[in-house]
């Protein structure tokens, strides 16, 4: 009589040679019957059911030995093929959905966002070079007629901390900075004006990294995300200059900086706009601009 395959921990000792007890007659299938086992694979992507795959596997009579092993292997093989087909359909459906989404983004009535690849480059703004050395010195003298020290609580302190905290922590728009964060932001701003490592292009065409005049500026630029504070080593035409210091002695202004003037300057843009020109395509060599090649 055929015995059922062993399941679980194998028997040991004399029990290893004893046949397993047959199930009661009511629970047995007749020899030679071919029960059908349905395997259903549901392929889904993005939370939506994309396909219902059904694979049927036939098993032979439940017998011990080589026959049952071969039948199980054939059944498993059919199941693997069905699952592979399901995975392929899922992958193709996901790819089609991505292509569809890209086509949807080409809607001519939809406004392209600044962070998207096909967002148009802004034009070059050309300003009159009317902020010479005399005006720069007057701007500097107005900057250093205050009491100095850290910025007072309010919009000046908040905008400095917002752009110079640099701790990488996400914050909501209504977040309230604590005293330690304000102190860290102010220190970072002073360090950046002294080190001048991260600078933004200025000049009358907004394309000059350093005009060699010996001044370092802190200016605010209006962006799609609001005012953004940046360091300049050339006149920040088209921006809102807030502070200015000698490039080789920026530390000297902090004992006499005028924060009330700083706050008023948040509303005033520097320069007289003459025209706008189309921006040339970017070059692969990003250092070319620093070498003055274009």
């Amino acid at each position: 009589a055929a015995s059922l395959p062993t399941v679980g921990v194998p028997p040991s000792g004399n029990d290893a040679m004893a046949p397993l007890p047959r199930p009661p007659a009511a629970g047995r299938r007749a020899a030679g019957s071919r029960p059908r086992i349905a395997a259903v694979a549901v392929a889904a992507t993005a939370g939506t059911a994309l396909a219902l795959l059904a694979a049927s596997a036939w098993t032979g009579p439940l017998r011990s030995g080589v026959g049952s092993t071969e039948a199980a292997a054939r059944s498993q093989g059919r199941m693997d093929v069905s699952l592979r087909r399901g995975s392929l359909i899922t992958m193709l459906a996901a790819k089609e959905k991505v292509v569809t989404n890209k086509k949807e983004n080409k809607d001519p009535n939809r406004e392209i966002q600044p962070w998207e690849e096909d967002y148009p480059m802004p034009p070059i703004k050309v300003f009159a070079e009317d902020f010479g050395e005399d005006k720069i010195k007057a701007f500097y003298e107005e900057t250093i007629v205050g009491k100095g020290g850290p910025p007072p609580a309010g919009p000046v302190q908040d905008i400095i901390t917002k752009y110079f905290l640099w701790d990488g922590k996400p914050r909501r728009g209504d977040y309230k900075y604590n005293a330690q964060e304000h102190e860290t932001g102010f220190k970072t701003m002073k360090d950046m004006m002294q080190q001048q490592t991260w600078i933004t292009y200025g000049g009358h065409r907004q394309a000059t990294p350093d005009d060699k005049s010996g001044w370092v500026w802190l200016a605010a630029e209006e962006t799609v995300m609001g005012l953004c504070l940046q360091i300049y080593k050339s006149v920040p035409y088209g921006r809102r200059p807030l502070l200015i210091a000698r490039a080789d002695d920026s530390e000297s202004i902090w004992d006499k900086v005028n924060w009330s003037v700083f706050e008023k300057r948040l509303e005033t843009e520097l320069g007289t706009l003459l025209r706008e020109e189309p921006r040339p395509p970017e070059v692969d060599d990003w250092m070319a601009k620093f070498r003055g090649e274009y």
Side-chain angles (χ1 to χ4, degrees), residues 52-291:
L52 184 63
L53 305 175
S56 299
W58 289 93
T59 59
L62 294 176
R63 296 178 302 200
S64 61
V66 178
S68 62
T69 303
E70 292 178 351
R74 288 195 298 273
S75 176
Q76 182 64 39
R78 293 189 183 99
M79 181 64 71
D80 291 343
V81 170
S82 299
L83 292 177
R84 285 197 297 271
R85 287 175 180 170
S87 299
L88 179 60
I89 292 175
T90 301
M91 181 180 66
L92 293 176
K95 185 176 180 180
E96 182 179 359
K97 186 172 181 63
V98 170
V99 173
T100 302
N101 288 340
K102 287 185 177 180
K103 291 180 179 178
E104 291 174 356
N105 289 339
K106 297 299 182 180
D107 181 359
N109 298 323
R110 191 187 69 85
E111 183 178 353
I112 302 174
Q113 301 301 313
W115 51 84
E116 296 177 350
E117 292 183 0
D118 49 354
Y119 185 77
M121 292 292 292
I124 295 176
K125 295 182 178 181
V126 181
F127 293 84
E129 294 186 86
D130 54 3
F131 206 78
E133 189 65 21
D134 292 341
K135 292 183 178 180
I136 292 176
K137 289 181 178 179
F139 189 89
Y140 173 73
E141 293 298 329
E142 189 182 19
T143 302
I144 57 173
V145 292
K147 297 180 180 180
V156 173
Q157 186 183 53
D158 289 341
I159 195 171
I160 290 175
T161 306
K162 179 180 180 180
Y163 284 99
F164 289 100
L165 186 54
W166 293 6
D167 61 357
K169 296 179 181 178
R171 294 177 174 85
R172 295 182 179 273
D174 57 352
Y175 179 82
K176 301 298 182 183
Y177 297 98
N178 58 44
Q180 181 61 46
E181 291 170 331
H182 283 307
E183 181 180 348
T184 301
F186 181 49
K187 181 180 184 304
T188 302
M189 183 188 72
K190 293 192 296 183
D191 291 344
M192 290 300 100
M193 288 195 69
Q194 180 182 31
Q195 298 168 12
Q196 301 146 33
T197 304
W198 302 99
I199 57 175
T200 304
Y201 299 127
H204 74 289
R205 293 177 59 87
Q206 300 181 341
T208 305
D210 187 353
D211 60 10
K212 309 300 182 182
S213 63
W215 297 99
V216 57
W217 304 73
L218 175 71
E221 181 176 10
E222 185 66 49
T223 70
V224 294
M225 303 300 291
L227 288 179
C228 177
L229 302 189
Q230 298 167 327
I231 307 295
Y232 296 81
K233 294 193 71 177
S234 52
V235 180
Y237 288 104
R239 282 83 172 208
R240 305 177 187 189
L242 306 173
L243 296 176
I244 187 173
R246 300 285 184 183
D248 57 355
D249 186 27
S250 64
E251 286 294 314
S252 63
I253 71 169
W254 304 118
D255 293 333
K256 44 192 175 181
V257 63
N258 189 336
W259 293 114
S260 62
V261 170
F262 181 107
E263 185 172 358
K264 292 178 182 178
R265 290 171 175 173
L266 285 169
E267 307 296 331
T268 306
E269 190 172 287
L270 174 64
T272 303
L273 180 63
L274 299 179
R275 63 184 180 276
E276 292 184 352
E277 299 177 355
R279 187 176 297 273
E282 293 290 335
V283 297
D284 293 335
D285 184 6
W286 63 275
M287 288 295 292
K289 187 174 291 186
F290 288 92
R291 295 194 297 265

